[in-house]
Amino acid sequence: MVTVPDIIQQSAFQFPDRCAISVGDNELTFSEVDDRASRLAQIILDMGISRGERIALLAMNETEFFEVQVAAIRAGVALVPLNFRLAVPELTYIMENSEPMLLITGPGFHEIGNELGCPNRLALGNDYEQALQSVSPLDRSPIDASQICSVLYTSGTTGRPKGSLISNQALWARIVSFTLEYKPDPSDVFLQGLPLFHIAANVSFTYAYNGATNVVVRDFNPADVIQTLEDKKISDALFVPTMINLLINHPDIESVDLSTLDFVAYGASTIPPSVLTKAIEVFDADFCQLFGMTETSGCTALRPEDHDPENKPHLLASAGVVAHGFEVRVVNDKDVDVSIGEVGEVICRGPALMDGYLGAEEATASALRGGWMHTGDMGKLDEDGYLYITDRKKDMIISGGENIYPREVEDVLFTHNDVHSAAVIGIPNEKWGEQVHAIVVLQPDCSLSEMDLLVYARENLAGYKVPKSVEFVEELPTNATGKVLKKILREPYWEGHQRQVH
């Protein structure tokens, strides 16, 4: 059996009393996380949950996140971290698809947990703490590299969420790659600005493995984050471009002491070069971008030395070069490499890739054909090996760093009795990068208002997926087979933009 190291064990041995994770006023040391994770692992096994089965977590960013993931690994089960922003019907689908044997809920989500239905329940709080103290820590055993340790839900062209199966090997490969790219040090204090149900959790695990403290933002608020940067003497931080834009344009940024901040990582979506230039000036820190997706982790990196507005301004629009641990190609529809400067689909491979999609063999075979992950992103390579993302093969919208899949939104709109047909696209938005825009054809003799349709959508979708604008038209442009031509719908909004993503 091939094994991989434990995420927390070494840091707990070297730095037992150092803060491992801090969320608000709550903190846990490395030794506490280590002990609590082993106790929770024992509870999982005592519930009769077998190796290879799954558990789920529905909570905002909490100090317990580390111990829950580590416990899952030690118990040989996979964690399904649920997006707390989803509506109950969306959560229900993921629960039914992943069939977790245990659901752990955080403050504010206990009642929703009751609606989701699960054989076993734990609620973070007093009962959870008592449960931990009622058992002895699980004895350590080797960690099987091939065992699935997490199921991270994403979506595909069908619009239904798909669970990416991440093995212990893939997680370890991601930690190694992030370590080589970000170069974390035990003395670092890392600010995690993103939700931990997101792939960004892998970055937090990287800093934890390297003995650094994680300061985790529970709910992003620019003023609070700016103050945290100063108060906690943050050295390293991770944000999405929308967050960076909000921070650098907030009035408090001019008076805060950022002298300890020397490294800013970003990803999840592209960033306008003008915003990046200002951010480099405001933060006066090294910047590093990783481009990738849930299924792959960061497969290319735009490293600090390439964030040079004066001498290398053209690179600020780039996604960088191949990251450590990956191979990257740009290919045509036959998976043949295209020429330098020619646009094709970005594909990659390496040990950090997912094993596949849970219960979706056809989608897995399509995405991983030939052993390469087909990202659905269109891009081109220059003569120096730098990748430039130009468009999306898929119609996914990225708004504020969150992935939004048009089909999910369209399916909800179609359920309204007054809607005949609908197409959802992403259009430019200076604040969020893109916003969700719905183009709707009504049933004959119906007079549905934009507000009524938006209220209906909000009842059935997470807030960030609800369209920000609606356009009513007589008909949608389609091809000979009836497929809506979204490129035509997007063109008026993206005219004058160099690329159809922000």
Side-chain angles (χ1 to χ4, degrees), residues 143-423:
I143 296 173
D144 183 351
S146 66
Q147 190 75 46
I148 300 301
C149 67
S150 63
V151 184
L152 304 179
Y153 271 81
T154 181
S155 294
T157 53
T158 63
R160 279 292 196 181
K162 297 193 295 293
S164 301
L165 299 170
I166 311 300
S167 69
N168 285 313
Q169 172 186 285
L171 177 57
W172 176 240
R174 295 174 182 209
I175 289 173
V176 171
S177 184
F178 284 132
T179 296
L180 292 170
E181 297 295 350
Y182 293 168
K183 301 176 174 61
D185 185 89
S187 63
D188 288 337
V189 180
F190 169 65
L191 180 73
Q192 173 61 271
L194 280 64
L196 292 172
F197 64 73
H198 193 275
I199 187 179
N202 296 168
V203 180
S204 282
F205 298 146
T206 300
Y207 277 86
Y209 177 78
N210 283 277
T213 295
N214 269 260
V215 176
V216 180
V217 175
R218 176 175 274 114
D219 192 19
F220 185 85
N221 176 283
D224 293 342
V225 170
I226 289 170
Q227 194 60 50
T228 298
L229 289 170
E230 179 178 52
D231 292 347
K232 297 288 187 178
K233 294 181 169 51
I234 301 299
S235 63
D236 298 36
L238 174 64
F239 302 116
V240 296
T242 300
M243 294 175 176
I244 291 174
N245 198 22
L246 290 170
L247 291 171
I248 63 177
N249 288 296
H250 195 282
D252 291 354
I253 201 71
E254 298 177 3
S255 58
V256 72
D257 179 7
L258 300 177
S259 59
T260 61
L261 183 65
D262 56 29
F263 183 83
V264 177
Y266 65 98
S269 64
T270 54
I271 186 169
S274 59
V275 173
L276 185 52
T277 298
K278 182 176 180 180
I280 293 169
E281 178 184 352
V282 170
F283 287 123
D284 191 24
D286 287 340
F287 276 68
C288 183
Q289 175 198 165
L290 286 184
F291 160 76
M293 58 198 304
T294 301
E295 295 93 329
T296 67
S297 189
C299 61
T300 69
L302 187 67
R303 299 181 175 119
E305 60 269 23
D306 291 326
H307 285 77
D308 186 349
E310 291 187 12
N311 300 307
K312 304 177 182 178
H314 63 290
L315 290 182
L316 298 186
S318 169
V321 296
V322 179
H324 291 291
F326 288 89
E327 297 174 74
V328 174
R329 297 164 56 206
V330 178
V331 301
N332 61 20
D333 289 340
K334 296 182 180 180
D335 285 355
V336 176
D337 289 8
V338 299
S339 302
I340 295 298
E342 185 180 347
V343 174
E345 182 177 5
V346 180
I347 66 175
C348 69
R349 70 179 177 186
L353 262 58
M354 68 168 184
D355 280 23
Y357 296 115
L358 177 63
E361 293 183 4
E362 289 186 11
T364 296
S366 176
L368 293 174
R369 61 186 182 273
W372 293 79
M373 179 65 204
H374 290 66
T375 68
D377 288 296
M378 306 300 286
K380 59 185 178 180
L381 291 168
D382 69 12
E383 60 276 6
D384 296 318
Y386 285 85
L387 177 68
Y388 294 79
I389 301 300
T390 57
D391 202 346
R392 289 189 194 88
K393 190 174 183 179
K394 301 173 184 176
D395 292 322
M396 184 179 71
I397 301 165
I398 298 180
S399 182
E402 290 289 347
N403 295 347
I404 301 167
Y405 297 86
R407 177 67 181 274
E408 288 186 86
V409 184
E410 290 164 356
D411 284 350
V412 169
L413 298 179
F414 268 89
T415 62
H416 195 289
N417 291 333
D418 292 346
V419 172
H420 174 271
S421 55

Side-chain angles (χ1 to χ4, degrees), residues 452-464:
D452 287 341
L453 184 58
L454 293 180
V455 169
Y456 179 80
R458 187 168 290 278
E459 291 173 350
N460 293 278
L461 290 166
Y464 68 90

Side-chain angles (χ1 to χ4, degrees), residues 1-29:
M1 179 178 70
V2 177
T3 64
V4 295
D6 188 278
I7 296 173
I8 291 292
Q9 183 178 353
Q10 186 60 32
S11 292
F13 174 74
Q14 286 186 270
F15 316 107
D17 299 325
R18 178 175 295 169
C19 176
I21 183 169
S22 169
V23 183
D25 296 328
N26 299 321
E27 293 185 353
L28 290 172
T29 66

Side-chain angles (χ1 to χ4, degrees), residues 35-80:
D35 177 72
R36 291 163 65 89
S38 289
R39 291 175 185 273
L40 178 56
Q42 185 63 61
I43 291 173
I44 292 169
L45 296 181
D46 288 346
M47 288 179 173
I49 301 173
S50 303
R51 290 176 62 86
E53 293 187 309
R54 290 171 286 278
I55 67 171
L57 172 66
L58 177 59
M60 296 186 70
N61 285 353
E62 305 288 354
T63 52
E64 291 88 354
F65 187 90
F66 276 10
E67 68 199 51
V68 174
Q69 178 63 85
V70 175
I73 292 172
R74 292 177 181 176
V77 301
L79 173 65
V80 183

